[in-house]
């Protein structure tokens, strides 16, 4: 292959991914919380795979085969990883439904993958037993429905997961006027949990790197089983880590993220307002927090703190479910499912 042909192939392979990366960049510049960004990112990543293979020139077909094999291996490993994670969650967190999500999802994905392979194998089995063809056909229809459904919902979730991670690696500005820190439950009635400490440590890091440190707004009310408000415990943590008390304004009336944002905005407005505002929360929660900020009219930058690796899958599944409880996104999710099933329905009815 000549160099001219090599670069011509690269140009052809780069066109489609460049279009999707450009769409993603423009869409994120307009609003990072838009749901369409998750789809643009997935399309950009998938369309970049042929370009990655084209980089190997004469070995393009071999590279494409290796890339495809690696993706297949990763997909096959997903249910086992999720089930193993679910068992870890049970050991570390307990048996509440929220702690069983990765286990349940791993089982569902495993059923989808098994259905897909059985769907492929059944025609070979039916050729050896023609008398059972009609019953096998009915089983095939059921298996294809299960496989298509699981594949669709898995792809939507993977798009959401990648975008959540992608938001966490984007560069952020270093100069803020205010830093809202979203609370979460306390331990033993008033002790800062490891998850909440991660958010606070991230906010402290932001404060120390800022040339003109922001006013810190720890946000969280007092739960029925908590001796103090989350905001009060967070303030004490900040002071213990050398954040001046006069740089802290607590918001201790909220009971959910919507109220966290709404009440913190009131504090910011009472202090004279600010142009650059950071909202610090756990990495898995940044996307949904930004959606809420958008709805409340708060222009801000979402910053995520690291979450324990064993806890992250279940937490992300909860966030995915919470986002799709919104009527608009629930309707879009099921509309996409119906579109995917249309060829299947035509095949069955035909």
């Amino acid at each position: 292959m000549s160099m001219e042909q090599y670069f011509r192939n690269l140009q052809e392979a780069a066109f489609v991914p460049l279009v999707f990366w450009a769409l993603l960049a423009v869409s994120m510049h307009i609003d990072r919380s838009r749901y369409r960004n998750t789809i643009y990112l997935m399309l950009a990543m998938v369309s970049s795979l042929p370009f990655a293979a084209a980089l190997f020139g004469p070995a393009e077909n071999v590279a494409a085969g290796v890339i495809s094999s690696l993706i297949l291996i990763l997909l096959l490993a997903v249910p086992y990883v999720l089930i193993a994670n679910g068992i870890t969650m049970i050991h570390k967190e307990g048996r509440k439904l929220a702690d069983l999500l990765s286990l349940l999802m791993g089982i569902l994905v495993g059923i989808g993958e098994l259905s897909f392979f059985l769907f492929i194998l059944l025609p070979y089995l039916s050729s050896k037993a023609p008398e059972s063809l009609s019953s096998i056909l009915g089983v095939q229809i059921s298996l294809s429905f299960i496989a298509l459904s699981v594949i669709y919902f898995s792809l939507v979730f993977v798009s959401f997961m990648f975008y959540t991670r992608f938001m966490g690696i984007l560069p952020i500005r270093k100069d803020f006027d205010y830093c809202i820190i979203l609370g979460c439950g306390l331990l033993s009635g008033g002790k800062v949990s490891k998850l909440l400490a991660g958010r606070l440590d991230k906010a402290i890091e932001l404060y120390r790197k800022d040339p003109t440190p922001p006013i810190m707004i720890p946000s969280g009310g007092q739960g029925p089983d908590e001796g103090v408000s989350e905001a009060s415990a967070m303030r004490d943590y900040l002071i213990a880590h050398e954040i001046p008390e006069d740089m802290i304004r607590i918001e201790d009336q909220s009971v959910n993220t919507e109220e966290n944002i709404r009440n913190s905005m009131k504090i910011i407005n009472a202090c004279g307002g600010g142009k650059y505002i950071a909202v610090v929360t756990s990495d898995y929660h940044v996307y949904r927090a930004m959606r809420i900020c958008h709805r409340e009219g708060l222009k801000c930058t979402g910053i995520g703190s690291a979450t324990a690796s064993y806890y992250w899958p279940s937490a992300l599944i909860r966030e995915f479910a919470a986002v799709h409880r919104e009527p608009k996104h629930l309707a879009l999710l099921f509309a996409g499912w119906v579109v995917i099933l249309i060829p299947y329905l035509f095949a069955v009815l035909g």
Side-chain angles (χ1 to χ4, degrees), residues 71-217:
I71 292 174
L72 179 61
I73 292 171
L74 289 174
L75 291 175
L76 292 175
V78 167
Y80 302 101
V81 172
L82 286 173
I83 290 171
N85 176 257
I87 295 171
T88 301
M89 282 290 292
I90 291 172
H91 289 318
K92 289 181 176 288
E93 301 291 333
R95 298 175 183 271
K96 301 188 296 294
L97 178 60
D99 301 324
L100 299 175
L101 292 177
S102 59
L103 175 63
L104 296 174
M105 187 170 181
I107 293 172
L108 287 174
V109 173
I111 290 172
E113 290 185 356
L114 181 61
S115 298
F116 178 74
F117 285 114
L118 288 176
F119 171 76
I120 293 174
L121 291 173
L122 273 178
Y124 297 100
L125 298 176
S126 63
S127 64
K128 297 179 180 180
E131 68 279 358
S132 62
L133 182 60
S134 59
S135 60
I136 287 179
L137 183 61
V139 173
Q140 267 196 298
I141 291 172
S142 300
L143 290 174
S144 62
F145 175 80
I146 295 171
L148 279 173
S149 298
V150 171
I151 289 170
Y152 168 72
F153 288 108
S154 297
L155 285 174
V156 176
F157 177 77
V158 168
S159 300
F160 179 84
M161 177 188 71
F162 278 139
Y163 186 67
T164 300
R165 280 300 194 192
F166 186 67
M167 288 182 70
I169 64 175
L170 293 174
I172 58 173
R173 63 178 297 110
K174 301 294 184 182
D175 187 8
F176 292 98
D177 302 314
Y178 296 90
C179 176
I180 301 171
I181 313 162
L182 301 183
C184 56
L186 301 175
L187 298 176
S188 303
K191 185 179 178 181
V192 170
S193 66
K194 186 175 181 179
L195 187 67
L196 183 53
R199 299 182 183 185
L200 290 163
D201 290 340
K202 191 69 176 181
I204 292 168
E205 176 187 339
L206 186 76
Y207 181 92
R208 290 173 177 167
K209 290 182 177 179
D210 197 321
T212 56
I215 291 176
M216 310 288 269
I217 305 178

Side-chain angles (χ1 to χ4, degrees), residues 173 175-178 268 272-278 298-301:
R173 63 178 297 110
D175 187 8
F176 292 98
D177 302 314
Y178 296 90
I268 292 171
K275 185 177 181 181
Y276 300 112
I277 300 167
L298 177 64
K299 293 183 178 180
C300 60
T301 299

Side-chain angles (χ1 to χ4, degrees), residues 297-314:
L298 177 64
K299 293 183 178 180
C300 60
T301 299
I303 300 173
S305 62
T307 306
S309 57
Y310 80 88
Y311 189 83
W312 190 78
S314 290

